[in-house]
Amino acid sequence: MTTRITTPFSATSTAAEIVQGVDLTGRRAVVTGAASGIGVETARALAAAGAEVTLAVRDTAAGDRTAADLTESTGNKEVHVARLDLADQDSVAAFTGAWDGPLHILVNNAGIMASPLMRTPQGWEMQFATNHLGHFALARGLHGALAAAGDARVVSVSSTAHLRSPVVFEDIHFERREYEPWLAYGQSKTANVLFAVEASRRWAADGIVVNALMPGAISTNLQRYITEEDLVRLRAQLDAAEVFWKTPEQGAATSVLLAASPLVAGVAGRYFEDCNEAGPNQPGTRGGVAAYALDPAAAQRLWEVSEQTLAA
């Protein structure tokens, strides 16, 4: 039985508080989806601590505006922008192929949520393709750079929505079952946790640690596919459950903890929420982590399926 990791931080802690006193000078970081929401605040905290930060974004114009803002607010001129469309494997390959030198921090932050049924040209369901397969290919493509760092950290941003669905291996891409946006989102977020479990096992000898997290309930443009009616209903459900709504600065805190804090050095294959390792989910509650999301056999199976999918 492993000891649950706890820190002095909590749900109300901000990303800036996490990096107070942390020096990331000489360390290089990539944050996906860093032109909006918690991605911006994750990148801001890492830049403020002295890291060289690359914003990996679909919209490079938005990325350039964000980079200018981060440089102005932190004084760090080493904030760069590179194009990355996680749903496009050619884009992922171009990004990883262009990367040169070691990479100390990779924050797999970008994602889409509860979108209508969309498919990539390969026929993959879009949420799984973006949230999992894109980040899976990105991390594998950057493996050499992460290994070269000697003590790299990979952060996989999941969600409490992982409680909605395990990875349904029999029909991952909704080819035979009826498509349901939230089930598809939940499945992709479970995949984000399983990735952390298996990558930690496979890459331990390279000094690479991988952890997953739930950032919290934050109002960002991740909700762009959700109708106003759905959003009102979702907010009512969360408010009824007395969910604490976080600012983007608070939402980025757990990502930054796993990316940069000495408090979790060497910790791998875990799932965090509110800046602490989560316990098992209790039926009927919205917190904690599902047993199926930490299942080593499922994690290994997902890795193999993902490799096969990308190779097809």
Side-chain angles (χ1 to χ4, degrees), residues 66-191:
T66 301
D69 168 48
L70 298 189
T71 292
E72 186 180 354
S73 68
T74 65
N76 186 337
K77 294 181 171 57
E78 293 296 320
V79 181
H80 312 294
V81 178
R83 188 176 184 280
L84 175 67
D85 182 348
L86 289 161
D88 178 354
Q89 286 294 321
D90 289 340
S91 174
V92 177
F95 182 94
T96 60
W99 187 266
D100 187 40
L103 175 62
H104 303 83
I105 298 166
L106 171 61
V107 183
N108 289 336
N109 166 82
I112 59 172
M113 181 169 77
S115 62
L117 178 58
M118 297 185 286
R119 296 191 183 279
T120 67
Q122 297 92 337
W124 306 334
E125 188 277 314
M126 188 62 77
Q127 295 191 77
F128 191 82
T130 302
N131 298 348
H132 169 63
L133 288 173
H135 280 129
F136 177 78
L138 178 69
R140 284 177 74 230
L142 293 171
H143 173 261
L146 292 163
D151 60 348
R153 299 188 187 192
V154 180
V155 180
S156 187
V157 179
S158 180
S159 165
T160 193
H162 85 274
L163 297 169
R164 292 174 180 264
S165 178
V167 173
V168 181
F169 288 103
E170 295 70 30
D171 189 15
I172 286 175
H173 298 288
F174 291 85
E175 292 160 327
R176 293 176 297 283
R177 55 182 170 144
E178 184 180 350
Y179 180 75
E180 203 290 307
W182 284 105
L183 280 183
Y185 180 64
Q187 172 180 251
S188 73
K189 294 288 101 179
T190 292

Side-chain angles (χ1 to χ4, degrees), residues 2 7 44-45 74 81 85 94 102 105 109 116 123 162 167 179 184 222 237 239-241 258 271-272 281 295:
T2 55
T7 78
R44 190 189 311 277
T74 65
V81 178
D85 182 348
I105 298 166
N109 166 82
H162 85 274
V167 173
Y179 180 75
L222 187 65
Q237 288 172 354
D239 289 342
L258 294 173
Y271 175 91
F272 283 68
N281 170 254
D295 177 24

Side-chain angles (χ1 to χ4, degrees), residues 202-292:
R202 289 180 179 245
W203 296 348
D206 301 311
I208 302 168
V209 297
V210 191
N211 291 286
L213 70 120
M214 152 64 170
I218 312 123
S219 189
T220 70
N221 72 355
L222 187 65
Q223 284 98 8
R224 64 187 176 276
Y225 288 113
I226 304 175
T227 65
E228 195 58 42
E229 186 183 327
D230 283 343
L231 197 52
V232 168
R233 187 166 62 243
L234 180 63
R235 280 182 170 274
Q237 288 172 354
L238 294 177
D239 289 342
E242 298 184 336
V243 167
F244 170 66
W245 285 91
K246 296 186 179 186
T247 65
E249 293 85 357
Q250 291 168 329
T254 309
S255 293
V256 172
L257 176 89
L258 294 173
S261 176
L263 296 173
V264 292
V267 173
R270 313 282 186 103
Y271 175 91
F272 283 68
E273 59 188 3
D274 297 336
C275 298
N276 290 275
E277 185 180 358
N281 170 254
Q282 302 302 319
T285 69
R286 290 180 44 82
V289 61
Y292 56 68

Side-chain angles (χ1 to χ4, degrees), residues 9-24 37-50 70 73-74 247-263 275:
F9 300 109
S10 68
T12 59
S13 300
T14 64
E17 290 169 350
I18 301 291
V19 292
Q20 206 163 4
V22 174
D23 184 5
L24 298 179
I38 64 172
V40 175
E41 300 310 323
T42 300
R44 190 189 311 277
L46 298 177
L70 298 189
S73 68
T74 65
T247 65
E249 293 85 357
Q250 291 168 329
T254 309
S255 293
V256 172
L257 176 89
L258 294 173
S261 176
L263 296 173
C275 298

